[in-house]
Amino acid sequence: MTSVLPSPSPLPAAALTLAPALPARTPAGLVGGTPLLWIGEPFTDPGRGFWAKLEGRNPGGIKDRTALHMVARARERGRLLPGAPIVESTSGTLGLGLALAGVTYGHPVTVVTDPGMEPMMAGLLRAYGAEVHVVRAAHPVGGWQQARRERVEEILAARPDAWCPDQYHNPDNVTAYRTLAHELIAQLGRIDALVVSVGTGGHSAGVASVLREHFPALRVVGVDTTGSTIFGQPAAPRLMRGLGSSIYPRNVGYSLFDEVHWVAASEAVWAARALARSRCATGGWSVGAVALVARHVAATLPAEARVAAVFPDGPQRYVGTVFDDDYCRRHRLLGGVPAPAPDRIAHPGERVVTRWTACETVVDPLAAGAPPAGPEATGPDAGEHGLAGAAR
Ligand SMILES: Cc1ncc(COP(=O)(O)O)c(C=O)c1O
């Protein structure tokens, strides 16, 4: 393969890194145009590496893109009237994006969450003017995710003008990420493999569909957490949030994936921490899981292959979890270095996986006859962070 990256600029590297971003007239103007960082040795094997798209450099995180887009489209279609309230169930990242969209377009924002939301996140949302409702009890069958949805329904019933973006099933949550794909193309020129986490399925479907149009041979690798139902495993207690789900979001672009990897929390913690120490650019559960898989993809493809990975947010909100030794010890997450390569199964139904495992058969569990919604995982962690991977 030949490189199509632009040839080196005559400017010294320091001058390039100081190139200022364009001035923004609105806070929404700060969204997008995120940087790309090379992740190489010592995190990766010698001579191998991947490009990380640092979505944590948006004001809130990756979901700023979708929040602004979903709100703009709903306004255009008359589904969201000027000044009407926005109500959504979220445990964080989308809430920050909606707060930004609320400020940008002039809508009050109510976020329904659960006790697993980090105090810092709840504080930030309130600071940005959002109303934060915390459900206090998990639904006996559907867990926290269901309890949150029911509270959203109650609020919507009381406010008929209110609008809920419904990030799991709203197709605008996919098209919102076309910009991210175009940025990657502009930054890298050619892309051979894309590694992306999957929660609602929005950014993986949005980015991969555009990239495939340009690079038909693109390898798309999805990253999920163990205990998530998205790719056909049974629901189980999960610590990791952001990626994974206990339902079957209709935004997941199953046909786009060549391969899915399930990663366990301890493996994501190892990778997030190793990244922090070696590259100073890291994030939380999803970044750790994506980095672990991207490192492996880069090691297995030819050295010239250009691998892009999406890092959805930064590390700040994870200082009390992923980066906290007491928390990690309590949850037995400091168990050592993950295996150099994933276990492999031929089909998601072959067995229940509890550590890093890959599968090249990617099927939509609903099309394969799964029940319409899995009960949310509950377990020893459910009262704290075992909130079963509500997308953020
Ligand atoms: C931190 C983080 N990582 C990954 C994801 C998964 O992204 P998506 O919902 O686009 O699949 C989310 C979604 O909420 C998230 O907040």
Coordinates of all heavy atoms in Angstrom, one line a residue, residues 49-113:
G49 N 1.0 1.0 14.8 CA 0.3 2.0 15.6 C -1.0 2.4 14.9 O -1.4 1.8 13.9
F50 N -1.8 3.3 15.5 CA -3.1 3.7 14.9 C -3.3 5.2 15.2 O -2.6 5.8 16.0 CB -4.2 2.8 15.4 CG -4.4 2.9 16.9 CD1 -5.3 3.8 17.5 CD2 -3.7 2.0 17.8 CE1 -5.5 3.9 18.8 CE2 -3.9 2.1 19.1 CZ -4.8 3.0 19.7
W51 N -4.3 5.7 14.4 CA -4.6 7.1 14.6 C -5.8 7.3 15.5 O -6.9 6.7 15.2 CB -4.9 7.8 13.2 CG -3.6 7.9 12.4 CD1 -3.2 7.0 11.4 CD2 -2.6 8.9 12.5 NE1 -2.1 7.5 10.8 CE2 -1.7 8.6 11.5 CE3 -2.5 10.0 13.2 CZ2 -0.5 9.4 11.3 CZ3 -1.3 10.8 13.0 CH2 -0.4 10.5 12.1
A52 N -5.7 8.0 16.5 CA -6.9 8.2 17.4 C -7.6 9.6 17.2 O -6.9 10.6 17.3 CB -6.4 8.1 18.9
K53 N -8.8 9.5 16.9 CA -9.6 10.8 16.7 C -10.1 11.2 18.1 O -10.9 10.5 18.7 CB -10.8 10.4 15.8 CG -11.6 11.6 15.4 CD -11.0 12.6 14.4 CE -12.0 13.5 13.9 NZ -11.4 14.8 13.4
L54 N -9.6 12.3 18.6 CA -9.8 12.7 20.0 C -11.1 13.5 20.1 O -11.1 14.7 20.2 CB -8.6 13.5 20.5 CG -7.3 12.8 20.4 CD1 -6.1 13.7 21.0 CD2 -7.3 11.4 21.1
E55 N -12.2 12.8 20.2 CA -13.5 13.5 20.3 C -13.7 14.1 21.7 O -14.6 14.9 21.8 CB -14.6 12.5 20.0 CG -14.7 12.1 18.5 CD -15.2 13.4 17.7 OE1 -16.3 13.8 17.9 OE2 -14.3 13.9 16.9
G56 N -12.9 13.8 22.6 CA -12.9 14.5 23.9 C -12.5 16.0 23.8 O -12.6 16.7 24.7
R57 N -12.0 16.3 22.6 CA -11.6 17.8 22.4 C -12.8 18.6 22.0 O -12.7 19.8 21.8 CB -10.5 17.9 21.4 CG -9.2 17.2 21.9 CD -8.5 17.9 23.0 NE -7.8 19.0 22.5 CZ -6.5 19.0 22.0 NH1 -5.9 17.8 22.1 NH2 -5.9 20.0 21.5
N58 N -14.0 18.0 21.8 CA -15.2 18.8 21.7 C -15.6 19.4 23.0 O -15.1 18.9 24.1 CB -16.4 17.9 21.2 CG -16.3 17.5 19.8 OD1 -16.2 18.3 18.9 ND2 -16.3 16.2 19.5
P59 N -16.4 20.4 23.1 CA -16.7 21.0 24.4 C -17.2 19.9 25.4 O -16.8 19.9 26.6 CB -17.8 22.0 24.1 CG -17.6 22.4 22.7 CD -17.1 21.1 22.0
G60 N -18.1 19.0 25.0 CA -18.6 18.0 25.9 C -18.0 16.6 25.6 O -17.8 15.8 26.5
G61 N -17.9 16.3 24.4 CA -17.5 14.9 23.9 C -18.1 14.6 22.6 O -18.7 15.5 21.9
I62 N -18.0 13.4 22.2 CA -18.5 13.0 20.9 C -20.0 13.3 20.6 O -20.4 13.6 19.5 CB -18.2 11.5 20.6 CG1 -18.4 11.1 19.1 CG2 -19.1 10.6 21.5 CD1 -17.9 9.8 18.7
K63 N -20.8 13.3 21.7 CA -22.2 13.4 21.5 C -22.6 14.9 21.3 O -23.8 15.1 21.1 CB -22.9 12.8 22.7 CG -22.7 11.3 22.9 CD -23.9 10.5 22.6 CE -23.5 9.1 22.3 NZ -24.6 8.2 22.2
D64 N -21.7 15.8 21.4 CA -22.0 17.2 21.0 C -22.5 17.2 19.6 O -23.4 17.9 19.2 CB -20.8 18.1 21.1 CG -20.4 18.4 22.5 OD1 -21.1 18.0 23.5 OD2 -19.3 18.9 22.7
R65 N -21.9 16.4 18.7 CA -22.2 16.3 17.3 C -23.6 15.9 17.1 O -24.4 16.5 16.4 CB -21.3 15.4 16.5 CG -19.8 15.7 16.5 CD -19.1 14.8 15.6 NE -17.6 14.9 15.8 CZ -16.8 15.5 14.9 NH1 -17.3 16.0 13.8 NH2 -15.5 15.5 15.1
T66 N -24.0 14.8 17.8 CA -25.3 14.3 17.6 C -26.4 15.1 18.2 O -27.5 15.3 17.7 CB -25.4 12.8 18.0 OG1 -26.6 12.2 17.4 CG2 -25.4 12.6 19.5
A67 N -26.1 15.7 19.4 CA -27.1 16.5 20.1 C -27.5 17.7 19.2 O -28.7 18.0 19.0 CB -26.5 17.0 21.4
L68 N -26.5 18.4 18.7 CA -26.7 19.5 17.9 C -27.5 19.1 16.6 O -28.5 19.8 16.2 CB -25.4 20.2 17.5 CG -24.7 21.0 18.6 CD1 -23.3 21.4 18.1 CD2 -25.5 22.3 18.9
H69 N -27.1 18.0 16.0 CA -27.7 17.6 14.8 C -29.2 17.2 15.0 O -30.1 17.6 14.3 CB -26.9 16.5 14.2 CG -27.4 16.0 12.8 ND1 -27.2 16.7 11.7 CD2 -28.0 14.9 12.4 CE1 -27.7 16.1 10.7 NE2 -28.2 15.0 11.1
M70 N -29.4 16.3 16.0 CA -30.8 15.9 16.3 C -31.7 17.0 16.6 O -32.9 17.1 16.2 CB -30.8 14.8 17.4 CG -30.2 13.5 17.1 SD -30.5 12.2 18.3 CE -29.6 12.8 19.7
V71 N -31.2 18.0 17.4 CA -32.0 19.1 17.8 C -32.3 20.0 16.5 O -33.5 20.4 16.3 CB -31.4 20.0 18.9 CG1 -32.0 21.3 19.0 CG2 -31.4 19.2 20.2
A72 N -31.3 20.2 15.7 CA -31.5 21.1 14.5 C -32.5 20.4 13.6 O -33.4 21.1 13.0 CB -30.2 21.3 13.8
R73 N -32.4 19.1 13.4 CA -33.4 18.4 12.5 C -34.8 18.4 13.0 O -35.8 18.6 12.3 CB -32.9 16.9 12.2 CG -31.6 16.7 11.5 CD -31.7 17.1 10.0 NE -31.4 18.5 9.8 CZ -30.1 19.0 9.8 NH1 -29.1 18.3 10.0 NH2 -29.9 20.3 9.7
A74 N -34.9 18.2 14.4 CA -36.2 18.2 15.0 C -36.9 19.6 14.8 O -38.1 19.7 14.6 CB -36.1 17.8 16.4
R75 N -36.1 20.6 15.0 CA -36.6 22.0 14.8 C -37.1 22.2 13.3 O -38.2 22.7 13.1 CB -35.6 23.0 15.2 CG -35.4 23.1 16.7 CD -34.1 24.0 17.0 NE -34.2 25.3 16.4 CZ -34.7 26.4 16.9 NH1 -35.2 26.3 18.1 NH2 -34.7 27.5 16.3
E76 N -36.2 21.8 12.4 CA -36.6 21.9 11.0 C -37.9 21.2 10.6 O -38.7 21.7 9.9 CB -35.5 21.3 10.1 CG -34.3 22.2 9.8 CD -33.2 21.4 9.2 OE1 -33.4 20.3 8.7 OE2 -32.1 21.8 9.4
R77 N -38.1 20.0 11.2 CA -39.3 19.3 10.9 C -40.5 19.7 11.7 O -41.6 19.1 11.6 CB -39.0 17.8 11.2 CG -38.0 17.2 10.3 CD -37.9 15.7 10.6 NE -36.7 15.2 9.9 CZ -35.6 14.6 10.5 NH1 -35.7 14.5 11.9 NH2 -34.6 14.2 9.9
G78 N -40.3 20.7 12.6 CA -41.4 21.1 13.4 C -41.8 20.2 14.6 O -42.8 20.3 15.2
R79 N -40.9 19.2 14.9 CA -41.1 18.3 16.0 C -40.8 19.0 17.3 O -41.3 18.6 18.3 CB -40.3 17.0 15.8 CG -40.6 16.2 14.6 CD -41.9 15.4 14.8 NE -41.8 14.5 16.0 CZ -41.2 13.4 16.1 NH1 -40.6 12.9 15.0 NH2 -41.2 12.7 17.2
L80 N -39.8 19.9 17.2 CA -39.4 20.6 18.4 C -39.7 22.1 18.1 O -39.0 22.7 17.3 CB -37.9 20.4 18.7 CG -37.2 21.2 19.8 CD1 -37.9 20.9 21.1 CD2 -35.7 20.9 19.8
L81 N -40.6 22.7 18.9 CA -41.0 24.0 18.6 C -40.1 25.0 19.4 O -39.5 24.6 20.4 CB -42.5 24.2 19.1 CG -43.5 23.4 18.3 CD1 -44.9 23.5 18.8 CD2 -43.4 23.7 16.8
P82 N -40.0 26.2 18.9 CA -39.1 27.2 19.5 C -39.4 27.3 21.0 O -40.5 27.4 21.5 CB -39.4 28.5 18.8 CG -39.9 28.1 17.5 CD -40.7 26.8 17.7
G83 N -38.3 27.1 21.8 CA -38.4 27.3 23.3 C -39.0 26.1 24.0 O -39.0 26.1 25.2
A84 N -39.4 25.0 23.3 CA -40.0 23.8 23.9 C -38.9 23.0 24.6 O -37.8 23.1 24.2 CB -40.7 23.0 22.9
P85 N -39.3 22.3 25.7 CA -38.3 21.5 26.4 C -37.8 20.3 25.7 O -38.5 19.6 24.9 CB -39.0 21.1 27.7 CG -40.4 21.5 27.6 CD -40.7 22.2 26.3
I86 N -36.5 20.0 26.0 CA -35.9 18.7 25.5 C -35.7 17.8 26.7 O -35.2 18.3 27.7 CB -34.5 19.0 24.9 CG1 -34.7 20.0 23.7 CG2 -33.8 17.7 24.5 CD1 -33.3 20.5 23.2
V87 N -36.2 16.6 26.6 CA -36.1 15.6 27.7 C -35.4 14.3 27.2 O -35.9 13.8 26.2 CB -37.5 15.3 28.3 CG1 -37.4 14.3 29.5 CG2 -38.3 16.5 28.6
E88 N -34.4 13.9 27.9 CA -33.8 12.6 27.4 C -33.2 11.8 28.6 O -32.8 12.4 29.6 CB -32.6 13.0 26.4 CG -31.8 11.8 25.9 CD -32.6 10.8 25.0 OE1 -33.6 10.2 25.5 OE2 -32.2 10.6 23.8
S89 N -33.2 10.5 28.4 CA -32.5 9.7 29.4 C -31.0 9.5 29.0 O -30.8 9.1 27.8 CB -33.2 8.3 29.3 OG -32.3 7.3 29.9
T90 N -30.1 9.9 29.8 CA -28.7 9.8 29.5 C -27.9 9.7 30.8 O -28.4 10.2 31.8 CB -28.2 11.0 28.7 OG1 -26.8 11.0 28.7 CG2 -28.8 12.3 29.2
S91 N -26.8 9.1 30.7 CA -25.9 9.1 31.9 C -24.7 10.0 31.7 O -23.7 9.9 32.4 CB -25.5 7.7 32.2 OG -24.8 7.1 31.1
G92 N -24.8 10.9 30.7 CA -23.7 11.9 30.7 C -23.4 12.6 29.4 O -23.8 13.7 29.2
T93 N -22.7 11.9 28.5 CA -22.1 12.6 27.3 C -23.2 13.2 26.5 O -23.0 14.4 26.1 CB -21.3 11.6 26.5 OG1 -20.5 10.8 27.3 CG2 -20.3 12.4 25.6
L94 N -24.3 12.5 26.2 CA -25.3 13.2 25.4 C -25.9 14.3 26.2 O -26.3 15.3 25.6 CB -26.4 12.2 25.0 CG -27.5 12.8 24.2 CD1 -27.0 13.2 22.8 CD2 -28.7 11.9 24.0
G95 N -26.0 14.2 27.5 CA -26.6 15.3 28.3 C -25.8 16.6 28.1 O -26.3 17.6 28.0
L96 N -24.4 16.4 28.1 CA -23.6 17.6 27.9 C -23.9 18.2 26.5 O -24.0 19.4 26.3 CB -22.1 17.3 28.0 CG -21.6 16.9 29.4 CD1 -20.1 16.5 29.3 CD2 -21.7 18.1 30.3
G97 N -24.0 17.3 25.5 CA -24.3 17.8 24.2 C -25.7 18.5 24.1 O -25.8 19.5 23.4
L98 N -26.7 17.9 24.8 CA -28.0 18.5 24.8 C -28.0 19.9 25.5 O -28.7 20.8 25.1 CB -29.0 17.6 25.4 CG -29.4 16.4 24.5 CD1 -30.3 15.4 25.3 CD2 -30.0 16.8 23.2
A99 N -27.2 19.9 26.6 CA -27.1 21.2 27.3 C -26.5 22.3 26.3 O -27.0 23.4 26.2 CB -26.2 21.1 28.5
L100 N -25.5 21.9 25.5 CA -24.9 22.8 24.5 C -26.0 23.2 23.5 O -26.1 24.4 23.1 CB -23.7 22.1 23.9 CG -23.1 22.8 22.7 CD1 -22.3 24.1 23.2 CD2 -22.1 21.9 22.0
A101 N -26.7 22.2 23.0 CA -27.8 22.4 22.0 C -28.9 23.3 22.6 O -29.4 24.2 21.9 CB -28.4 21.1 21.5
G102 N -29.2 23.1 23.9 CA -30.2 23.9 24.5 C -29.8 25.4 24.6 O -30.6 26.3 24.3
V103 N -28.5 25.6 24.9 CA -28.0 27.0 25.0 C -28.0 27.6 23.5 O -28.4 28.7 23.3 CB -26.6 27.0 25.6 CG1 -25.9 28.4 25.4 CG2 -26.6 26.6 27.1
T104 N -27.6 26.8 22.6 CA -27.4 27.2 21.2 C -28.8 27.6 20.6 O -28.9 28.7 19.9 CB -26.8 26.1 20.4 OG1 -25.5 25.8 20.9 CG2 -26.6 26.6 18.9
Y105 N -29.8 26.8 20.8 CA -31.1 27.0 20.2 C -32.2 27.6 21.1 O -33.3 27.8 20.6 CB -31.6 25.7 19.5 CG -30.7 25.2 18.4 CD1 -29.9 24.2 18.5 CD2 -30.8 25.9 17.1 CE1 -29.1 23.7 17.5 CE2 -30.0 25.5 16.1 CZ -29.2 24.4 16.2 OH -28.4 24.0 15.2
G106 N -31.8 27.7 22.4 CA -32.8 28.3 23.3 C -33.9 27.3 23.7 O -35.1 27.6 23.6
H107 N -33.5 26.2 24.2 CA -34.5 25.2 24.8 C -34.0 24.8 26.2 O -32.9 24.5 26.4 CB -34.5 23.9 23.9 CG -35.0 24.1 22.5 ND1 -36.3 24.1 22.2 CD2 -34.3 24.3 21.4 CE1 -36.4 24.4 20.9 NE2 -35.2 24.5 20.4
P108 N -35.0 24.7 27.1 CA -34.7 24.1 28.4 C -34.4 22.6 28.3 O -35.1 22.0 27.4 CB -35.9 24.4 29.3 CG -37.0 24.7 28.3 CD -36.4 25.2 27.0
V109 N -33.4 22.1 29.0 CA -33.1 20.7 28.8 C -33.2 20.0 30.2 O -32.8 20.4 31.2 CB -31.6 20.6 28.4 CG1 -31.1 19.1 28.4 CG2 -31.4 21.2 27.0
T110 N -33.9 18.8 30.1 CA -34.1 18.0 31.3 C -33.4 16.6 31.0 O -33.7 16.0 30.0 CB -35.6 17.7 31.7 OG1 -36.1 19.0 32.0 CG2 -35.7 16.8 32.9
V111 N -32.5 16.2 31.9 CA -31.8 15.0 31.7 C -32.2 14.0 32.8 O -32.3 14.4 34.0 CB -30.3 15.3 31.8 CG1 -29.5 14.0 32.1 CG2 -29.8 16.0 30.6
V112 N -32.6 12.8 32.4 CA -33.0 11.8 33.4 C -31.9 10.8 33.5 O -31.5 10.2 32.5 CB -34.3 11.1 33.0 CG1 -34.7 10.0 34.0 CG2 -35.5 12.1 32.9
T113 N -31.4 10.6 34.7 CA -30.3 9.7 34.9 C -30.5 8.8 36.1 O -31.6 8.8 36.7 CB -29.0 10.6 35.0 OG1 -27.9 9.7 35.0 CG2 -28.9 11.4 36.2

